[in-house]
């Protein structure tokens, strides 16, 4: 008997393979983020806030392209776990600024290293030329679907 996965792979081999690769990539990255005390996706916020200390949630939404409620929930969770702190803007007390705590700053390099490790694992066995071509093709697929 044919499974749903087999049918999906036959009907849309590119999409199916892309989804499987994405699932494996996310699983590898999630394991590394868990070791740092982060949920997958929070590492993007950590690195962005590191690059833009004193940013606002609205600015994060613009730069990262994630919905505001999702950002708000992640920031609240990251504040509870000690990665981020909020402070009122001294020029406008209605505005809340975000900064990494010492704990948040301490994981930035580990996040960058994890991204690089997973990328190396994903492209192991590929030449540099093949990896660049894969990136080019994936960008084209993304653009086609945008």
């Amino acid at each position: 008997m044919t499974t749903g996965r087999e049918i999906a792979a036959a009907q849309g081999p590119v999409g199916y393979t892309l989804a499987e690769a994405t699932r494996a990539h996310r699983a590898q990255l999630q394991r590394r983020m868990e070791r740092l005390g982060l949920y997958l996706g929070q590492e993007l916020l950590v690195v962005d806030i590191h690059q833009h200390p004193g940013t606002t949630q609205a600015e994060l939404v613009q730069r990262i392209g994630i919905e505001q409620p999702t950002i708000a929930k992640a920031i609240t969770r990251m504040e509870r776990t000690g990665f981020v702190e909020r402070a009122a803007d001294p020029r406008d007390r209605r505005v809340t600024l975000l900064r990494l705590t010492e704990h948040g700053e301490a994981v930035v390099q580990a996040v960058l290293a994890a991204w690089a490790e997973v990328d190396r694992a994903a492209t192991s066995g590929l030449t540099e030329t093949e990896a660049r071509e894969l990136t080019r093709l994936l960008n084209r697929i993304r653009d086609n679907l945008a």
Side-chain angles (χ1 to χ4, degrees):
M1 178 164 258
T2 306
T3 68
R5 287 183 182 272
E6 291 167 335
I7 295 168
Q11 292 299 307
V14 172
Y16 183 79
T17 303
L18 182 59
E20 288 291 299
T22 299
R23 188 175 300 118
H25 183 273
R26 288 178 58 83
Q28 286 287 321
L29 200 52
Q30 178 61 42
R31 282 192 283 281
R32 285 166 172 80
M33 292 307 112
E34 282 175 358
R35 289 184 215 134
L36 300 175
L38 294 167
Y39 288 94
L40 191 59
Q42 289 179 341
E43 81 280 8
L44 290 171
L45 302 178
V46 165
V47 171
D48 191 277
I49 295 169
H50 171 75
Q51 291 295 315
H52 305 277
T55 193
T56 66
Q57 282 188 27
E59 292 166 341
L60 272 175
V61 167
Q62 289 292 66
R63 283 193 303 272
I64 295 181
I66 298 174
E67 296 290 325
Q68 193 281 331
T70 304
I71 293 276
K73 183 177 179 181
I75 292 298
T76 298
R77 182 179 276 171
M78 292 169 68
E79 186 178 30
R80 269 197 315 263
T81 55
F83 288 100
V84 173
E85 61 188 6
R86 301 175 203 241
D89 186 334
R91 295 167 298 185
D92 184 347
R93 306 295 285 172
R94 298 169 297 172
V95 175
T96 301
L97 304 177
L98 303 171
R99 289 183 182 78
L100 293 181
T101 62
E102 205 172 292
H103 181 56
E105 287 291 345
V107 300
V108 171
Q109 290 307 312
V111 166
L112 297 176
W115 284 345
E117 289 167 15
V118 173
D119 202 57
R120 277 192 299 278
T123 58
S124 70
L126 299 180
T127 66
E128 281 188 41
T129 302
E130 289 170 330
R132 279 194 304 276
E133 180 68 1
L134 176 60
T135 301
R136 186 186 70 73
L137 292 170
L138 290 171
N139 283 329
R140 183 188 279 174
I141 289 170
R142 180 206 55 219
D143 294 347
N144 288 346
L145 297 173

